[in-house]
Amino acid sequence: MECPECGKACQENYKFCSECGYNLQSARTAQTVLTAESSGPTAASKSHAHSDTGTPVDGFEETVKDGTQKSGVESENQQRDTTPAEHVTCDKPSTDREHQRETTPSISCLDHAATPETTSPSLAQSEPVTACPDKPDTKSGLVDSDDVERALSKNSKDTVSTTQEDEEEEEGFEDASKHLEDEAEETKDSEESVTLSKDISKGEDTPEETVPEEHREPVPMEGLTVEAVTSHSISLSWRKPTGVKEVLTYVVSYHNSGDQKRHTSTTSTSAVISNLKPAALYSFTVKSHDDKGHQVCAVSITARTELSVPGKLTVDSTDVTSATLSWGGPHGMDRIRHRFLVSFHSSGSEPQRISTASCKAVLSNLRPGTEYTATVSTAMECGTLSGAISRTFCTNPCPPERISITCLEVTSVTLTWGRPSGMQSVPHTFRVTLYHAGRPSQSITAEENLAVLSNLRPGSDYKFSVCTVLDSNGAESAPVCTTARTNLPPPGEITVHTVTLDSVSLSWAPPEGMEDHPQSFNVSWAVVGGNKKSLKVKNQTSVCVSGLRPGREYRFSVATIGDNRSQSKSVSVTAYTELSGPGRVKARDVRSRSVMLSWERPVSMEGISYRTHIIYSCEGEEPRLEIRSPETATAVLSDLRPGIEYTFNITIVLPNNSCSKASTAHVCTKTSLDELVCELGLEQYLKNKLTLSTVLEIDGETLTDESIQSLKSLPWCFLRRLMMVNVTARSVRCSTKPDTTSQSMDSFLDMLDSPQGNSNKVNPLDLLTAVFLCSDGFLQQEMVLKMSMCQFSVPLLLPKGDAQQCTLMLWAMRDIVKKFRPHSLADPRGFLEGSIVLTHLPLVSFVRLGSSSLSKSQILNQVLSNPQQYHDTFVHRNMVCGDTPRKISNGLVEISWYLPCGNRNIDIFSEPVAIANLRGDLSDFQTQYSFLYHTSAAVFVFCDDFGTDCNLLYSQTSQAHLFLVSNSQSRNFKKDDFRRCVSESQLQPSNIIMKGPQMNDSEFVNKLHLAISDLLTGNLSKISVEQMSVVAHEFGIPVDEDYVSCQCGRQMADAITARISEIPEYKEKMLPLQGTTWKQLAKLEKEECRLKNAGEKNIEMYKSELSEQKQKLREQQRAHDISEPMSCFISAMSGSTEERAFFLKWMRINLDNLSRKKLSSLREKYKEECQNSSENKACITELDQQMSSCSLGVEHFLREMGQLYESACTLPEGHASRQQMQRLPQLCAELLLEGFPLELVDGDASNIPLQWVTQVLKELHHLTQYKIRVVTVLGVQSTGKSTLLNTMFGVQFAVSSGRCTRGAFMLLIRVKEDFKRQLGCDCIMVIDTEGLKSPELAQLDISYEHDNELATLVVGLSDITVINIAMENSTEMKDILQIVVHAFLRMKEVGRKPCCQFVHQNVPDISAHDKNLRDRKILLEQLNEMTQAAAKMEKRGNNRKFTDVMAYDPEKNNWYVPGLWHGTPPMAPVNAGYSESVNLFKRSMIEMFKEHKSGKNPPHTFNEFIEWTRSLWVAVKYENFIFSFRNSLVADAYAKLCTEFNKWEWAFRKSMYSWLMQAETKVSNFGTVVAQTQTSFNAADLLSRLRSEATLELAKGEKLFLDNLTEYYERQEGHVHLVEKYKEDFVNSAKSVKRETENSVKDKIEAAVEIRKGMFRLESIKKNHTATMEQKVLKLIERCRESKIPLSDQQLEDEFEKMWDETVKELCFSGLDRQDIEQDIYLQLRTNLGREGGLVHEMVSNVGNLVECGKELFKVKSKAKEMYKKVWNKLFGDEQKIKTQEMVDHIIEHCRQFVDEKVRARSDYHNTYMIDLLHIVDENLDRHRNLETSAHFEASLKIHICGHAAREFRQMHLDFIHANDPRQCLEQSKGQYCADFKDLFFDRDQCQKKAEEFTLPLPCTCSQGICHQISGP
């Protein structure tokens, strides 16, 4: 809505204008009234019917007569009864109006009410006078011209709508007509039909239709009258016919001339007909009928409409003397000619008239300031006038003369002006108006030409105007104006709101009268006496002045500034800035009982004296105050309580007690546990416990020996030392030294009194407790075990920080195993061994009540220590940091054990006893005291102050003996209190141990010792730690074994171990795969490589037999189902990581306990049987076997898993059993990652399950991708190898006296992430091996072989090999090293060079390193000598020193370690020197890894380690010579002897071969013409004579053989004495060669004789059976001739064939046997290469078919591997290769000539041929030894030559057999017999034919004599 006052557009819901404050609600009301007035009856009716339908206002009529206005509007009742027909007002109740609007939204209801004042129908006017359209009213009087104009304007706008509406009405009438016709058809009694037009939505008239009349007589209507007439409507009324009760429907018909008749219907008795033409005569007819069709007689009437009045009359403009009028045209008279009559006059003057055809007129010559009335009427040419419209206006008055300002003040202005001219006779006043920007104008009326305007806004611009105002109508003249600015007022009073350190916030009251005026102020300030500063403030009355200095007085002034820079007077105030308080408070060091606060110093407080107040408090305590000087910005508040939240307020206070704002901090003190673990850097491990694998990780701290600089390093140093069993572990401390060089005495003394003096100290018990609380169960076990080895007390009840709760550490002590010998043991040399938690011992507890001047723990150490050897078992106040106040260890109960060794001169107590020690006052820890009282045999209470509550001493109900220990010299000791306490507790004097004034510590300790000894002699109650758990549960003390995973693991382990009764039987039944079958498999694997038992068998067939045997053994393994214990074991292994760890630990604990128990009983039996050894040898042997197989551990179950996997691998890929076992390697790989040792070499079978180990390591590679270094240990049995590794790396390899480790075990130790890059690897693999030179194997032939194999394997696998040597003598390991190096020389070169470290144990002498310099030099010389000998044997000329094969520095690689124990076990702690020496060795080894992280020996991946292990193990298995010797010198001497022996053997065999050739010649010549003179000599005699000669020749050769052997052993050079033990072996070998040669010679002679006998037999057959043959031939001829059937040659041959077969069957022939030449040559080759290395043996074993070898040319390959050799070969050619090739070609040619020579001799094959051939090769190679050929090369050459020889000699042998077979010779004569037969049959000339045959070459290779005899005479 637009504001009528200022013209601003305002929203419809605003009540007042936002700009000028005009009342918009009244304006809306007036506008509504004007709208209603201008609408007329029709418009109002339509608005009632719904103005939003767009129905236009149909007319507006008025008439003027005598200055009054009359209306022709219907009454309100008639309006409410209007029917839904168009233009009809229905008499309905007012309550139905809203319903009518909803149901008939398009109906226009015209409410007209007739007024009694109406004088003429032409002057009727309808005018609503209220703003409510639903309730119109009638108002008399002339219509205002403005209202008429609004109505005409609206009519003009709605013309189009009216036209459209008419068209819609016509359509509506037609629809209504159709409806009436339907009704008429239903009413068949009607005779005439009348169609009524009815349009509910539009209400238009419809054309007239015929309505059927009623059958009865019509009833006449009455009183049809015209009630009102306007220019566009006529109101009719009538009465209902008398006597008619029914509801009637009335149809009103009307028309004028020229128009069509229209109709409307209603049920009311009145109607308003609208939309009529003005000045027109209309005829109206009203008809009716009821709802039954009864008709009423119609009545009619006529009436004329009035003229339309002009439109709205408007005064367009007025002037002082003129006015301009305009009006609208009359409605509906556009086509009627008319004019307008204008009349105007003033009061007391005559009217003036003007006529015009236009709608505008100008009135002139008017008087200024005078009121005029003007009227306008429509005039026809006939003189008829319409009603008139009128308007009153006034001419403008004259303005005043010049205006001026006579007085200007802050809030008032005085104005004066001149009077207006020509207005003397006109009554008027003056309106003075002032204008101010943004505010409504204000006006006053002045009678005179002077006005005083007050209450103005100071300093504001005003505009003043003055105009003349008429008294008559208030008209105003044009104003005269001027402007002025009021003076500026000063601001109001200044208020200081906020004062800070450097700012002051001010505000002031705005200047009076300027609240809404834009304001500017000048604010200035200055320190009193200082420079002034200022700033301007705009549009606000407040300011914050910053940049001030704290604690100063400032004066502030404020003045108002005007737009023209004028300024008012200023107002002032003074204020002090706030004190600078401390900055943000930080809690830098929050502890359990102290907090270090630091704060920022107050700024800009220089030169001001103040103090810092610290007020702190907590809930339930009064605030406390600490004051600090200005120089201090930190404070340590140390009188706090742990775990409490404190509020700290720090303020700055001046001497006048004014203070600054407080800086607040809320700090919660830590609990003692939280504080300590935070200081130690262990806070993250309170929830995520520290694990053993984390502690064992290799890190950079391993390499440093620097002192500890921070508390965070303390636990790690403690753990490192403890893992290395260092007795100084509890003595770790920070070694920071305060700088006292520039320290004053006062500060030095203050430091002594400061509680922070112990800030870098931690009580060892607190450190121990914190580490235990942050560790998991497995680390706790390891810690307790190491502490027990150090003879430290271990936690029995571990407190949980500040809480009173504690835990029984049963699980932590499970690993402790002790051996001791009580004096009560029957056997003085026997001992007891068992787990300490299962051992029943008396427990003696020591506690303290109140204060005690005696150091309980120190006295206990003295009691438990031998006088000659004191040891701190318990931590006491005089130890390092022992006097540091305890924070979390109070309530700790420690336990230690005294175990006698059986020596009465050493043992303190004769029987074992457990000692418990409670830390702290027992009154504070009554739960722990009660537990100890109920589990102890005796309780010793230390107390000096008996004034405390002694009821605790005797309030417990137990059988424990109670002792009081006190010091009468203590200042707290009072005899009366002591007497009272003793009396109440009823203690005997014997139970009181008092240290008197004349008693020293030794005597006092002796009294305690005697008291305990007396107790042990009695019948004391005994209890095990495991039994204590029951008591602990009774007192609500949790046990560490209650952990769910621990219990689950125990249940699974017990399910397996509970069924074990006899270990050997259990292993045989439940673990069958690793028994005899596995051991046989291991032997077969080695036999497959070494072929020691092949003999003269065919190698391929022998290998096939071995393979079949292996397959059968695997089938035997697979025949065993998985036993139930193994199923349970695998199932438990497949569980979660934590449960699996507990399960394996419980398995090891249970199996160890079981094995110890069984072994102990077997020892007793063995000892008893050994006393009667002569009688019970069989029983002793059986017991010895049982003791050997009594061991059972987790490794046996893992070994069974490996065998399950290996046996499954022999099955097809998709087999279900194989698939089931595929997950087993992953389980073991995970175990390795968790730090569990895994068996690499099976000690029982001396074999590596290669498939199993390979797959485990592959899974490990898949899981980690780690790079590893390998450390192995090698040494004689029981020299402390495992102990050394355990100490060095903190691991747990099994240790005990005797043979404990079998085979080799590997274990992984991770490297910390930050150290991996320096070390070059991710983890270190440690391999522990069984001891060498075991007594169990010493008597076996394989002892050397077993040790040498193991040593070669582990050394070859390692980067560093630790050679563990007992004492200083290294002879026992020297031989092993020689064999290892020799084995390496015999293996394939791989470029690896293991490092050798010698560790000499049990060498306490500090000068050992220097004293043993000569011994080390001798050792190295011996090793070098051995290496040279081995290199010469293996033809490795480039390896002349030991260091060429293994890295060894005599100065750096020798370590001397003192003994392990410091004293006599079991009470001896580990020697600190042992741990320190091992630690130094470990550092050296880590440094070595760092130096060699890249280079020739880089770290390996697991895949590389797998390949190297496989190749090394294969080489070991193929090695069949060197491992059987004690050392290489023996092997060298043995090899030399073998060389000589082979020469003697070759000479012997060659001699016998020469004799055999002569003998065979004699046999061949036997019976010939030359030898026929010996008529008396037959073949038997020849054979007998040759046998005798062979015997003599063999005896001669044997004697020479043995003489050479004897002569060799009599030599002095060549280390002949080293092979003295083999002399008998060589003598036997010589005899064996003699026997073998004898058998061979005799066989050859017999074979030759048999051949010769066959020839004789054949000749005899020919001689003796010639007649028979001739007779058979003649009979055959006769039989053929008698048949008289001509026979062809073929038929004769068939007959001869039959006869020949029959004859030959009667003969018996014995030919030569066929030999396996290839096998014999292969055996000769293997014998020749038998002493070579495993690589050569592997080559020979892999030769498939020797006949196929040597077919291609033999080419020498270059050996150059190094880069410089390759470059040399490229530039100058490989001269070595060329010379070697020439040598090879020469040897091959020589050998082929030898073979060809033997083949051409046409003799049979003899094994001496190959001996000679190989001897030729060896001789040629020896002559070219300067070419440095390798064994591999020589073996390849010999295989090549033997392949060719095998082919040639095999063919030669076949040819010889063919040529010397009698049957073959006879078969060769068959053709001749057949030819003779046919010749005889056909009577041919035989002589001629024989002559012809004689001239031809002989067809066979037989002798001439045989051919002559066969041919016949």
Side-chain angles (χ1 to χ4, degrees), residues 111-131:
D111 298 337
H112 296 280
T115 59
E117 294 82 10
T118 303
T119 58
S120 172
S122 61
L123 298 177
Q125 169 77 30
S126 176
E127 180 184 1
V129 294
T130 176

Side-chain angles (χ1 to χ4, degrees), residues 1537-1546 1601 1626 1629-1630 1633:
L1537 178 57
C1538 287
T1539 302
E1540 294 296 323
F1541 185 86
N1542 290 337
K1543 291 179 181 179
W1544 303 331
E1545 179 184 358
W1546 177 76
F1601 208 154
F1626 279 95
S1629 297
V1633 170

Side-chain angles (χ1 to χ4, degrees), residues 213-219 244 246 248 290 292-295:
E213 296 183 355
E214 295 289 331
H215 296 289
R216 67 181 179 178
E217 289 296 326
V219 181
V244 177
E246 295 86 352
L248 301 180
D290 57 15
K292 296 181 180 180
H294 299 159
Q295 184 177 345

Side-chain angles (χ1 to χ4, degrees), residues 1799-1818:
V1799 170
R1800 286 195 301 271
R1802 298 181 181 273
S1803 61
D1804 195 6
Y1805 167 79
H1806 195 270
N1807 55 8
T1808 55
Y1809 294 170
M1810 284 307 303
I1811 296 176
D1812 289 341
L1813 183 64
L1814 292 173
H1815 182 68
I1816 292 172
V1817 176
D1818 290 333

Side-chain angles (χ1 to χ4, degrees), residues 794-812:
V794 299
L796 177 65
L797 296 179
L798 183 69
K800 292 186 177 180
D802 298 331
Q804 294 295 319
Q805 189 178 11
C806 56
T807 303
L808 178 65
M809 306 298 288
L810 173 60
W811 169 257

